[in-house]
């Protein structure tokens, strides 16, 4: 599976409250949630994001509560992949389970800037910064997790079985 | 290579002889839990996938506790959706308000005999790790995991590494399990155990009561851990005998022990005798300080309760420190027994009368203020001492309010003195 889009760059410890503020948690409609994604950190995000774009951030991305509203909002906003040096545990699960690709790469997370054009090959973990020409190698997902992502999430695997 | 307790339980549930840290496994589950916040989205996911039955109506547990008794229309709709689902799927373990087994999820599951040593349990709530106190593997997940597990009775795990926490000695008077876990989080930080198990060991584990072990495992997630787990000893088996008599009688549980040569990333040794009453300052559970080492901090509210400290032992301890005393003028003390069983027992033992005499507000069992839901929301600039588990920005109300986490004795002393304080500052 190949991904292609421009990068939005953020810092360390982006928590689930920043990804989707708690005041919007009384709905679980993906489009409504997407409309408020990242608004306390980057009000321009939702106006400028286009389908296929990527979020690139610092360590411990998605820390905080176990609510799935955070990866739901990110995915529904059009983001195709999140790249960070590390992810909080429950966010990691939730993202995979709903088919939001995430990749761990400290090097890519450090050198990519906002606006860079990025392409990712999920089956190999290869990340290319087309703006600068740099390439990075993230650990590709094991087949078990790739199957979940390709089925568009954990529930998709159930339909296939 | 030897395995930790957690690794052994996971191997057993994946049908394997051994597992390695980092390995991805699919495990069978003994219990699957949801609450009124996480279950409604899971029901939607379950139904959208065209699923019609749960894997076992005796192993899916649904608990309305966060916004109950329903705080507003939206919460009422969520609870109604969950109640309909429980009814139409004939679930054995749905606990309605007021029923004998009802209360805050992590208080009632052990009390209702639903947890035993060796079990593998997931819950769509991050504090599901509480059940490690009984020698079970238990961890928090999201709503998709809940939907999938309700249907299949299975889930996937990445086998964790472990940190061994080796306990020695005995706690001093007035120092509790809460102080142990706050001290530990203060030492390793809020991501100190990310992706790992916290495996408790050593002679100090045996002196801790089951209530204290439950409190300690409850906050494993506050160090980023996947789970916390205690070895099974005579106290665990006694607890089982009392609360899960059938499983005890049938010997329907498995005691796993860590191998002698199990591999740990690190060992942290804590001498319980050295610990003092500890408070986590805003806005992270790792910001710990011992009482008596900071200036007077005036407070507006004290909350006693939650899945961390809402058990009968906590109520008894609160009554011990509040008896014959009253709450300081201008401070609100809110006490939430963690379950209907705890409430009733506290009533019978006269503890509620002690609380009323101290001028406390006594609430129905609910999560309520712990997550800033209802029953004690803070205004801008207000400060609260709470026996709960999180003090993030805005956790209990306004983003400009502050939460100080502590054990029961400190919460009581603070309520009486009107400032964050240890029990040694109380007048006789
Ligand atoms: S008491 Fe607090 S931490 Fe425990 S389950 Fe309820 S909201 Fe979560």
């Amino acid at each position: 599976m190949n991904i292609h889009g421009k990068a939005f760059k953020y810092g360390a410890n982006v928590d689930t409250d920043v990804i989707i503020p708690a005041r919007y948690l009384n709905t679980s409609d993906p489009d409504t949630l997407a409309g408020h994604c990242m608004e306390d950190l980057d009000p321009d995000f939702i106006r400028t994001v286009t389908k296929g774009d990527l979020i690139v951030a610092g360590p411990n991305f998605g820390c905080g509560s176990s609510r799935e509203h955070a990866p739901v909002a990110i995915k529904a906003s059009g983001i195709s992949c999140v790249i960070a040096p590390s992810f909080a545990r429950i966010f990691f699960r939730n993202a995979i389970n709903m088919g939001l690709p995430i990749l761990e790469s400290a090097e890519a997370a450090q050198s990519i800037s906002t606006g860079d054009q990025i392409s990712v090959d999920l089956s190999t973990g290869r990340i290319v910064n087309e703006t600068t020409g740099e390439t990075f190698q993230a650990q590709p997902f094991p087949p078990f997790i790739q199957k979940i992502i390709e089925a568009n999430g954990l529930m998709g695997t159930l339909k296939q079985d | 290579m030897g395995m930790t307790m957690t690794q052994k339980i996971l191997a057993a549930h994946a049908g394997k002889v051994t597992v390695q840290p980092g390995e991805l496994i699919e495990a069978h589950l003994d219990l699957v839990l949801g609450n009124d916040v996480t279950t409604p989205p899971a029901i939607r996911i379950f139904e959208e996938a065209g699923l019609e039955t749960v894997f076992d109506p005796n192993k899916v547990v649904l608990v309305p506790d966060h916004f109950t008794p329903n705080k507003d229309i939206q919460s009422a709709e969520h609870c109604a959706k969950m109640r309909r689902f429980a009814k139409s799927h004939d679930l054995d373990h749905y606990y309605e308000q007021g029923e004998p087994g009802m209360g805050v999820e992590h208080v009632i599951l052990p009390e209702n005999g639903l947890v035993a040593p060796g079990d593998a349990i997931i819950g769509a709530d991050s504090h599901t790790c509480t059940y490690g106190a009984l020698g079970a593997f238990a961890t928090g997940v999201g709503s998709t995991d809940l939907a999938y597990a309700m249907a299949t009775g299975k889930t996937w795990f990445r086998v964790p590494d472990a940190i061994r926490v080796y306990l020695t000695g005995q706690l001093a008077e007035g120092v509790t399990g809460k102080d142990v876990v706050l001290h530990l989080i203060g030492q390793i930080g809020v991501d100190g155990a990310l992706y790992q198990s916290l495996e408790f060991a050593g002679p100090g584990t045996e002196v801790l009561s089951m209530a204290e072990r439950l409190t300690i495992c409850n906050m494993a997630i506050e160090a980023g851990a996947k789970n916390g787990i205690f070895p099974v000893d005579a106290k665990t088996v006694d607890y089982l005998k009392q609360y899960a008599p059938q499983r005890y009688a049938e010997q329907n549980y498995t005691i796993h022990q860590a191998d002698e040569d199990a591999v740990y990333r690190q060992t942290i040794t804590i001498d319980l005798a050295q610990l003092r009453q500890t408070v986590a300052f805003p806005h992270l559970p790792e910001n710990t300080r011992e009482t008596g080492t900071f200036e007077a901090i005036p407070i507006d509210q004290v909350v006693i309760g939650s899945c961390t400290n809402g058990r009968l032992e906590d109520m008894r301890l609160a009554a011990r420190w509040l008896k014959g005393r009253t709450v300081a003028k201008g401070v609100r003390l809110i006490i939430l027994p963690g379950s209907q069983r705890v409430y009733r027992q506290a009533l019978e033992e006269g503890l509620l009368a002690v609380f009323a005499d101290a001028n406390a507000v006594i609430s129905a069992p609910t999560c309520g203020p712990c997550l800033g839901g209802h029953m004690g929301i803070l205004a801008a600039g207000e400060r609260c001492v709470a026996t709960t588990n999180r003090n993030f920005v805005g956790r209990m109300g306004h983003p400009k309010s502050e939460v100080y986490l502590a054990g029961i004795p400190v919460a009581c002393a603070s309520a009486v003195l009107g400032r964050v304080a240890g029990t040694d500052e109380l007048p006789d």
Side-chain angles (χ1 to χ4, degrees):
Chain A
M1 193 171 146
N2 288 305
I3 280 167
H4 191 91
K6 68 175 183 298
F8 288 82
K9 176 81 176 271
Y10 301 109
N13 301 312
V14 174
D15 65 63
T16 49
D17 279 313
V18 173
I19 296 169
I20 180 72
R23 57 185 177 275
Y24 304 118
L25 290 179
N26 53 9
T27 173
S28 48
D29 174 53
D31 293 331
T32 312
L33 291 169
H36 301 290
C37 189
M38 309 300 268
E39 76 178 18
D40 284 0
L41 184 65
D42 177 7
D44 289 337
F45 172 79
I46 204 62
R47 284 191 283 110
T48 50
V49 67
T50 53
K51 200 166 168 47
D53 288 350
L54 298 89
I55 287 176
V56 180
N60 204 23
F61 187 88
C63 59
S65 99
S66 74
R67 293 168 190 136
E68 250 170 52
H69 305 73
V72 166
I74 290 176
K75 194 178 181 194
S77 74
I79 288 291
S80 62
C81 181
V82 184
I83 300 172
S86 64
F87 293 87
R89 194 198 131 249
I90 301 180
F91 184 91
F92 182 94
R93 282 193 82 86
N94 288 346
I96 301 230
N97 282 342
M98 44 172 298
L100 171 68
I102 55 177
L103 285 179
E104 291 182 341
S105 168
E107 295 78 27
Q110 173 142 48
S111 76
I112 293 171
S113 309
T114 291
D116 289 356
Q117 286 292 330
I118 308 297
S119 66
V120 177
D121 182 343
L122 283 181
S123 57
T124 63
R126 200 173 136 88
I127 302 166
V128 180
N129 186 339
E130 293 173 350
T131 305
T132 64
E134 289 169 294
T135 65
F136 310 94
Q137 186 62 48
Q139 196 74 333
F141 285 130
F144 175 70
I145 288 186
Q146 257 180 55
K147 196 178 130 203
I148 297 178
I149 302 260
E150 276 158 21
N152 201 27
L154 190 63
M155 299 312 281
T157 64
L158 210 50
K159 283 180 210 158
Q160 287 175 341
D161 285 352
Chain B
M1 191 173 100
M3 292 190 287
T4 65
M5 264 183 93
T6 299
Q7 290 160 359
K8 282 194 169 173
I9 297 174
L10 288 177
H13 285 78
K16 294 179 163 234
V17 181
T18 59
V19 292
Q20 304 286 330
E23 188 178 339
L24 284 156
I25 56 160
E26 190 167 48
H28 287 270
L29 298 166
D30 297 299
L31 208 63
V32 175
L33 163 73
N35 61 44
D36 55 322
V37 166
T38 55
T39 309
I43 293 172
R44 181 176 51 78
I45 295 162
F46 187 93
E47 288 172 351
E48 276 172 11
L51 297 166
E52 279 162 16
T53 50
V54 300
F55 81 108
D56 185 341
N58 190 38
K59 292 184 174 174
V60 176
V61 184
L62 299 184
V63 183
D65 58 356
H66 279 57
F67 293 103
T68 54
N70 303 333
K71 114 177 164 103
D72 56 18
I73 294 170
Q74 195 119 12
S75 319
E77 295 291 343
H78 265 203
C79 288
K81 189 172 181 182
M82 199 161 107
R83 188 177 301 117
R84 278 195 299 273
F85 184 88
K87 193 156 182 235
S88 66
H89 291 272
D90 248 336
L91 302 188
D92 295 324
H93 304 291
Y94 168 76
Y95 296 100
E96 194 55 89
Q97 301 297 293
E99 285 178 1
M102 71 76 72
V104 175
E105 49 191 337
H106 310 310
V107 175
I108 64 170
L109 263 62
E111 272 185 8
N112 291 347
L114 299 180
V115 181
D119 284 357
I121 300 171
I122 63 163
D125 188 280
S126 57
H127 294 101
T128 303
C129 51
T130 308
Y131 317 133
L134 281 94
F137 170 80
T139 194
V141 298
S143 294
T144 301
D145 279 309
L146 173 59
Y148 185 91
M150 286 199 303
T152 63
K154 292 187 287 193
T155 197
W156 63 274
F157 292 117
R158 186 153 86 168
V159 177
D161 270 325
I163 295 176
R164 188 166 72 141
V165 184
Y166 193 83
L167 305 178
T168 63
Q170 300 223 21
L171 292 171
E173 159 79 3
V175 181
T176 65
K178 184 64 161 283
D179 301 298
V180 178
V181 71
L182 288 177
H183 172 85
L184 175 63
I185 297 164
Q187 189 172 339
I188 66 175
V190 292
D191 61 354
L194 192 61
Y195 295 137
Q196 300 175 68
S197 310
L198 285 172
E199 302 238 345
F200 295 89
T205 58
E206 288 168 29
V207 304
L208 295 171
S209 68
M210 286 312 295
E212 280 170 325
R213 298 179 200 183
L214 288 158
T215 300
I216 292 171
C217 286
N218 175 270
M219 290 191 71
I221 177 75
E222 259 51 72
K226 184 179 204 121
N227 68 312
I229 194 164
F230 269 81
V232 177
D233 63 10
K235 280 186 189 164
T236 325
V237 176
D238 281 349
Y239 186 95
L240 211 60
K241 200 168 158 185
Q242 183 180 356
Y243 292 102
Q246 201 178 338
R247 289 190 73 172
Y248 173 79
E250 293 167 0
Q251 300 274 296
N252 181 11
Y253 59 91
T254 315
I255 299 175
H256 293 272
Q257 275 175 317
D259 288 324
E260 294 273 323
D261 59 343
V263 177
Y264 301 94
R265 282 259 196 101
Q266 58 170 315
T267 293
I268 293 169
T269 303
I270 297 175
D271 177 2
L272 298 177
Q274 298 295 319
L275 300 182
R276 297 290 169 262
Q277 292 180 337
T278 302
V279 178
F281 276 48
H283 289 284
L284 282 177
E286 70 183 23
N287 293 338
T288 53
R289 296 199 217 165
E290 290 179 358
T291 55
T293 64
F294 44 84
E295 309 267 288
I297 301 162
I299 57 169
D300 305 281
Q301 180 167 298
V302 173
V303 168
I304 289 179
S306 87
C307 61
T308 320
N309 283 115
R311 300 186 178 79
L312 183 61
E313 290 82 347
D314 297 307
M315 298 299 126
R316 286 181 181 151
L317 200 54
R320 176 209 176 298
W321 290 105
L322 290 172
K323 195 171 177 70
R325 300 186 166 110
T326 49
V327 174
K329 194 112 193 99
V331 175
R332 315 172 297 260
L333 168 61
I334 302 166
I335 302 183
L336 305 100
S339 71
Q340 186 78 349
R341 191 182 271 108
V342 172
Y343 194 103
R344 172 175 277 275
Q345 188 71 23
L347 183 67
E348 285 168 7
E349 291 184 16
L351 310 180
L352 300 188
V354 174
F355 301 158
D357 287 344
N359 296 344
V361 177
I362 305 163
S363 157
T366 177
C367 294
C370 173
L371 79 159
H374 60 145
M375 296 296 299
I377 304 300
L378 301 173
E382 288 193 325
R383 293 198 193 93
C384 178
V385 173
T387 67
T388 57
N389 48 40
R390 282 189 176 141
N391 57 352
F392 299 153
V393 172
R395 173 73 180 178
M396 206 173 267
H398 196 282
K400 290 211 166 68
S401 61
E402 294 182 348
V403 176
Y404 295 74
L405 301 175
I408 298 283
V410 172
C412 293
S414 303
V416 170
L417 295 167
R419 56 186 168 83
V420 186
T423 46
D424 53 353
E425 296 181 63
L426 282 173
D428 290 336

